[in-house]
Amino acid sequence: MSGEAKVLIFVGVCAATVIGGFAVDDYIRRKQDLQKKISDNELELKKAELEGTYPPEYWTAKAAEAEADARVRQARIESEERLQLDARDRAEKEKEALRKFEQNAPAEYWEQKKFEEEEKTKRESDKRRFEAEQEAAKLHNKAIEESAKAAERAIRRSIGSYSGYNYI
């Protein structure tokens, strides 16, 4: 037998072994899954048989418990809805009270309100200007770093050309 034939036989045996190993693993996994399903079904059957021996009072109590739970959940939902409605009503009343007050508000109130608006606008403007300055500083810093790297490369090349070596 030639060397090539021996290699082919060896590769075939190895491939068969690997494929066989996968097949055995798959078989074992499927068998375990089936055994688990069977044991789960047996457990359910035993549970059903046990529950069949419970007295009628147990089932009456279970039904009452489920009904009470449903009532509690319904009450919680209704309570949340009432809280949301109350919050909306309170907000509307506060807005209405403010509108009524502003109809007859003194001049000092309007001056203070104007001052607050100007301060708010000034803070927002300052914030935007600060952010723009930060962005410009970042760009400037990046440009300086790139220039320094370019200068360093140029220096290395010029030194390399004098010594006969080429540094990049």
Side-chain angles (χ1 to χ4, degrees), residues 8-155:
L8 285 175
I9 291 173
F10 177 74
V11 168
V13 169
C14 289
T17 304
V18 169
I19 292 171
F22 286 132
V24 168
D25 288 345
D26 186 51
Y27 171 78
I28 291 171
R29 185 186 49 77
R30 287 183 185 187
K31 185 177 178 182
Q32 288 173 345
D33 290 345
L34 183 61
Q35 287 174 344
K36 184 174 180 343
K37 286 181 183 179
I38 291 171
S39 67
D40 288 347
N41 289 341
E42 288 175 356
L43 185 62
E44 284 292 321
L45 182 61
K46 287 180 183 178
K47 183 179 175 184
E49 290 173 356
L50 181 62
E51 287 177 348
T53 63
Y54 291 167
E57 294 84 18
Y58 172 82
W59 298 109
T60 306
K62 273 289 200 192
E65 179 183 349
E67 186 178 327
D69 186 46
R71 281 192 306 241
V72 166
R73 276 191 255 124
Q74 182 64 33
R76 188 173 296 131
I77 291 169
E78 290 172 358
S79 174
E80 299 248 344
E81 289 173 353
R82 279 193 304 270
L83 286 173
Q84 289 176 354
L85 290 174
D86 289 347
R88 261 187 263 146
D89 289 345
R90 192 176 323 111
E92 285 295 321
K93 287 178 183 177
E94 288 174 0
K95 286 180 185 177
E96 183 62 31
L98 182 62
R99 275 188 238 124
K100 285 182 180 179
F101 172 76
E102 286 180 342
Q103 287 175 353
N104 300 321
E108 295 85 20
Y109 170 79
W110 293 109
E111 289 173 11
Q112 179 64 29
K113 190 160 183 134
K114 181 180 176 185
F115 176 75
E116 288 173 359
E117 285 295 320
E118 289 172 354
E119 286 296 314
K120 181 180 175 186
T121 304
K122 182 180 174 187
R123 281 193 303 274
E124 290 172 357
S125 175
D126 289 347
K127 182 179 178 184
R128 282 193 303 272
R129 187 172 36 255
F130 176 72
E131 290 171 352
E133 288 174 358
Q134 277 187 324
E135 187 63 30
K138 286 179 186 177
L139 292 174
H140 183 70
N141 189 25
K142 186 176 179 182
I144 290 174
E145 287 177 3
E146 289 176 5
S147 298
K149 287 178 183 177
E152 180 182 3
R153 281 193 302 270
I155 292 171

